Amino acid sequence: MFNLITKSDSNVKNDVLSGITVALALVPEAVAFAFVAGVDPMVGLYAAFMMGLITSAIGGRPGMISGATGAMAVVMVALVAQYGVQYLFAAVILAGILQILAGVFRLGKFIRLVPYPVMLGFVNGLAIVIFLAQMGQFKIVDATGIQQWMQGNQMYIMLGLVALTMGIIHFLPKLTTAIPASLVAILTVTGIVHGLDVDARTVIDFVRDMVPEAEKATVTLAGELPSFAIPMVPFTLETLYIVLPTAIILSLVGLIESLLTLTLIDELTDTRGRGNKECIGQGVANSVNGFFGGMGGCAMIGQSMININSGGRGRLSGITAALVLLAFILFLAPWIELIPLAALVGVMFMVVLGTFEWASFKILRGANKEDAFVLLLVTGVTVIADLAIAVVVGVIVSALVFAWKHATHLFVRTSVDSEGWKVYDLEGPLFFGSVGHFRELFDVENDPNDVVIEFKNSRIWDSSGLDAIDGLADKYVAAGKKLHIRHISPECRDLLEKAQKFVEMNINEDPRYHVASDKLG
């Protein structure tokens, strides 16, 4: 419905201009997430700079933007509130080390286990989260310190400027793609607001709303270069016990969000990133953050979409965004503070339209109700809880749905051969989900003295299937009847205990496959 992605190769001009656009959008996000975590705004800006620079330089997905994110910020709140920011820096360093180890041991490949409906739910959920996050920009803090919705002309001006921004981004590419439409929109709306003296809220107004009244007059986005410092925490086991739980959650949330964003960009650009290399890049970036006063972070789907939409494809786009953000902090803070929030909200609204997978409505209307349920579940959990929980829940539910569907795929055809033996010809998988149905297929009491279980069209997947066969053998032995098991793999025969002696080997016809069991590991 909304095709906002340009299919183009990486080039220097597109990467640089796109990087500038991303840097403008990074500022309010970094500040907002810093306040969510309970740290100084500069800690969030430093994180956005270092995460963006390092992951763009050594990560596994050119064109992907990393920085301080809300998903990780909410994990940090309790640690910062109870122990202070120095413990946060220690936790971020440890989280980075864990992410590096994940890359070294090539755990990034497990992102392939995320099913397509879960991926759609992740994308749609994040689009909704990005949209809802922008609603705060339509509120102001009144004299009592309470947030209220804008009223009258202030709201109309805000809506008008947002609409103008979105209109420029949508229609400008139809005329020219020489300059990123998002950058043109931000500059145009900024020029209109200050050229015509329009009463519109700016970035510095947003920052002032988030600081105590005594600091409003002096607050600024200007800062210095981040400096190296070892976190000021005791190097004891007690400190490790304090920071380790937070570090583990941070590393998992960061990797899940980064690898899923990597997969999304792969699909949008018809290229392939390197998941394990991205794990290492994220880990190095977070470890450096901890030593240089940053709050850490991960891939940012919103800013990554801005970059892709604006034509950014190579590593230079992310490096440019990071360096321009640093220039903002060091030299250009007064200019950045003048950018109208409406321009940035309009850019993010277009990101929402481009991120949401509108084709998912076909799944909701389709016959596959299980996929539709998983999609809605992951979307809802992403919005209500967070990304990591949503993905884990989605994968577990998808696995259960898969097991349930395949549990009903076990069938049997019965016949009596020329010798009067009853033959159970199985078809379908035998595993933990289907063993209950497997046991119900046999009539031990009324079967003749010789019974054949034919596995030629069936496979035994796990130890639950093997246990079910052993249990069935016990029943036939107790009934004084002889069991004949045919066409199972040699590995299955070795793993069977009570039923092993009933297996009839046929070297020429027996299949060869493996079983999920620790006994032969």
mmCIF file of all heavy atoms in Angstrom, residues 5-21:
data_model
loop_
_atom_site.group_PDB
_atom_site.id
_atom_site.type_symbol
_atom_site.label_atom_id
_atom_site.label_comp_id
_atom_site.label_asym_id
_atom_site.label_seq_id
_atom_site.Cartn_x
_atom_site.Cartn_y
_atom_site.Cartn_z
ATOM 1 N N ILE A 5 10.146 2.476 -0.134
ATOM 2 C CA ILE A 5 11.528 2.009 -0.216
ATOM 3 C C ILE A 5 12.038 2.167 -1.635
ATOM 4 O O ILE A 5 11.425 1.700 -2.583
ATOM 5 C CB ILE A 5 11.642 0.528 0.210
ATOM 6 C CG1 ILE A 5 10.949 0.319 1.564
ATOM 7 C CG2 ILE A 5 13.084 0.088 0.265
ATOM 8 C CD1 ILE A 5 11.550 1.096 2.692
ATOM 9 N N THR A 6 13.167 2.842 -1.774
ATOM 10 C CA THR A 6 13.781 2.977 -3.090
ATOM 11 C C THR A 6 14.784 1.867 -3.287
ATOM 12 O O THR A 6 15.628 1.611 -2.434
ATOM 13 C CB THR A 6 14.494 4.339 -3.222
ATOM 14 O OG1 THR A 6 15.455 4.463 -2.167
ATOM 15 C CG2 THR A 6 13.499 5.478 -3.130
ATOM 16 N N LYS A 7 14.692 1.160 -4.405
ATOM 17 C CA LYS A 7 15.620 0.076 -4.723
ATOM 18 C C LYS A 7 16.840 0.678 -5.406
ATOM 19 O O LYS A 7 16.843 0.954 -6.594
ATOM 20 C CB LYS A 7 14.961 -0.937 -5.655
ATOM 21 C CG LYS A 7 13.703 -1.583 -5.072
ATOM 22 C CD LYS A 7 14.040 -2.521 -3.938
ATOM 23 C CE LYS A 7 12.786 -3.230 -3.433
ATOM 24 N NZ LYS A 7 13.069 -4.143 -2.324
ATOM 25 N N SER A 8 17.884 0.937 -4.650
ATOM 26 C CA SER A 8 19.071 1.563 -5.229
ATOM 27 C C SER A 8 20.307 1.003 -4.573
ATOM 28 O O SER A 8 20.265 0.503 -3.459
ATOM 29 C CB SER A 8 19.023 3.085 -5.044
ATOM 30 O OG SER A 8 19.002 3.426 -3.670
ATOM 31 N N ASP A 9 21.426 1.095 -5.278
ATOM 32 C CA ASP A 9 22.695 0.658 -4.731
ATOM 33 C C ASP A 9 23.300 1.769 -3.882
ATOM 34 O O ASP A 9 22.925 2.936 -3.960
ATOM 35 C CB ASP A 9 23.651 0.288 -5.870
ATOM 36 C CG ASP A 9 23.136 -0.902 -6.675
ATOM 37 O OD1 ASP A 9 22.491 -1.780 -6.063
ATOM 38 O OD2 ASP A 9 23.369 -0.929 -7.892
ATOM 39 N N SER A 10 24.269 1.378 -3.072
ATOM 40 C CA SER A 10 24.938 2.348 -2.216
ATOM 41 C C SER A 10 25.789 3.310 -3.047
ATOM 42 O O SER A 10 26.473 2.900 -3.979
ATOM 43 C CB SER A 10 25.831 1.606 -1.210
ATOM 44 O OG SER A 10 26.610 2.512 -0.464
ATOM 45 N N ASN A 11 25.688 4.614 -2.707
ATOM 46 C CA ASN A 11 26.617 5.586 -3.271
ATOM 47 C C ASN A 11 26.877 6.658 -2.232
ATOM 48 O O ASN A 11 26.080 6.861 -1.304
ATOM 49 C CB ASN A 11 26.110 6.168 -4.595
ATOM 50 C CG ASN A 11 24.862 7.003 -4.432
ATOM 51 O OD1 ASN A 11 24.893 8.057 -3.811
ATOM 52 N ND2 ASN A 11 23.743 6.520 -4.984
ATOM 53 N N VAL A 12 27.981 7.370 -2.387
ATOM 54 C CA VAL A 12 28.448 8.300 -1.360
ATOM 55 C C VAL A 12 27.435 9.407 -1.107
ATOM 56 O O VAL A 12 27.125 9.739 0.047
ATOM 57 C CB VAL A 12 29.817 8.889 -1.761
ATOM 58 C CG1 VAL A 12 30.228 9.989 -0.790
ATOM 59 C CG2 VAL A 12 30.873 7.794 -1.795
ATOM 60 N N LYS A 13 26.895 10.004 -2.177
ATOM 61 C CA LYS A 13 25.968 11.128 -2.005
ATOM 62 C C LYS A 13 24.737 10.695 -1.205
ATOM 63 O O LYS A 13 24.346 11.360 -0.236
ATOM 64 C CB LYS A 13 25.542 11.657 -3.371
ATOM 65 C CG LYS A 13 24.655 12.907 -3.304
ATOM 66 C CD LYS A 13 23.786 13.059 -4.531
ATOM 67 C CE LYS A 13 22.676 12.031 -4.534
ATOM 68 N NZ LYS A 13 21.701 12.200 -5.606
ATOM 69 N N ASN A 14 24.115 9.584 -1.600
ATOM 70 C CA ASN A 14 22.923 9.113 -0.896
ATOM 71 C C ASN A 14 23.227 8.778 0.561
ATOM 72 O O ASN A 14 22.446 9.087 1.467
ATOM 73 C CB ASN A 14 22.349 7.882 -1.593
ATOM 74 C CG ASN A 14 21.618 8.224 -2.865
ATOM 75 O OD1 ASN A 14 21.401 9.397 -3.175
ATOM 76 N ND2 ASN A 14 21.262 7.214 -3.648
ATOM 77 N N ASP A 15 24.365 8.130 0.786
ATOM 78 C CA ASP A 15 24.714 7.741 2.148
ATOM 79 C C ASP A 15 24.938 8.961 3.038
ATOM 80 O O ASP A 15 24.491 9.000 4.186
ATOM 81 C CB ASP A 15 25.968 6.860 2.141
ATOM 82 C CG ASP A 15 25.672 5.431 1.695
ATOM 83 O OD1 ASP A 15 24.484 5.092 1.583
ATOM 84 O OD2 ASP A 15 26.621 4.669 1.454
ATOM 85 N N VAL A 16 25.626 9.970 2.536
ATOM 86 C CA VAL A 16 25.914 11.167 3.333
ATOM 87 C C VAL A 16 24.635 11.933 3.640
ATOM 88 O O VAL A 16 24.368 12.305 4.794
ATOM 89 C CB VAL A 16 26.932 12.064 2.609
ATOM 90 C CG1 VAL A 16 27.053 13.424 3.315
ATOM 91 C CG2 VAL A 16 28.295 11.383 2.545
ATOM 92 N N LEU A 17 23.819 12.190 2.621
ATOM 93 C CA LEU A 17 22.584 12.946 2.834
ATOM 94 C C LEU A 17 21.610 12.175 3.727
ATOM 95 O O LEU A 17 20.948 12.761 4.593
ATOM 96 C CB LEU A 17 21.931 13.268 1.491
ATOM 97 C CG LEU A 17 22.703 14.243 0.591
ATOM 98 C CD1 LEU A 17 21.993 14.429 -0.743
ATOM 99 C CD2 LEU A 17 22.877 15.594 1.285
ATOM 100 N N SER A 18 21.545 10.882 3.527
ATOM 101 C CA SER A 18 20.683 10.065 4.372
ATOM 102 C C SER A 18 21.186 10.067 5.814
ATOM 103 O O SER A 18 20.389 10.134 6.761
ATOM 104 C CB SER A 18 20.627 8.636 3.836
ATOM 105 O OG SER A 18 19.814 7.830 4.649
ATOM 106 N N GLY A 19 22.496 10.009 5.987
ATOM 107 C CA GLY A 19 23.072 10.045 7.327
ATOM 108 C C GLY A 19 22.739 11.328 8.062
ATOM 109 O O GLY A 19 22.451 11.320 9.267
ATOM 110 N N ILE A 20 22.746 12.459 7.356
ATOM 111 C CA ILE A 20 22.385 13.742 7.966
ATOM 112 C C ILE A 20 20.923 13.709 8.424
ATOM 113 O O ILE A 20 20.584 14.170 9.526
ATOM 114 C CB ILE A 20 22.621 14.898 6.970
ATOM 115 C CG1 ILE A 20 24.117 15.019 6.660
ATOM 116 C CG2 ILE A 20 22.077 16.209 7.525
ATOM 117 C CD1 ILE A 20 24.431 15.995 5.545
ATOM 118 N N THR A 21 20.062 13.169 7.577
ATOM 119 C CA THR A 21 18.643 13.061 7.923
ATOM 120 C C THR A 21 18.446 12.227 9.181
ATOM 121 O O THR A 21 17.689 12.603 10.086
ATOM 122 C CB THR A 21 17.855 12.435 6.756
ATOM 123 O OG1 THR A 21 18.127 13.140 5.556
ATOM 124 C CG2 THR A 21 16.361 12.458 7.037
#
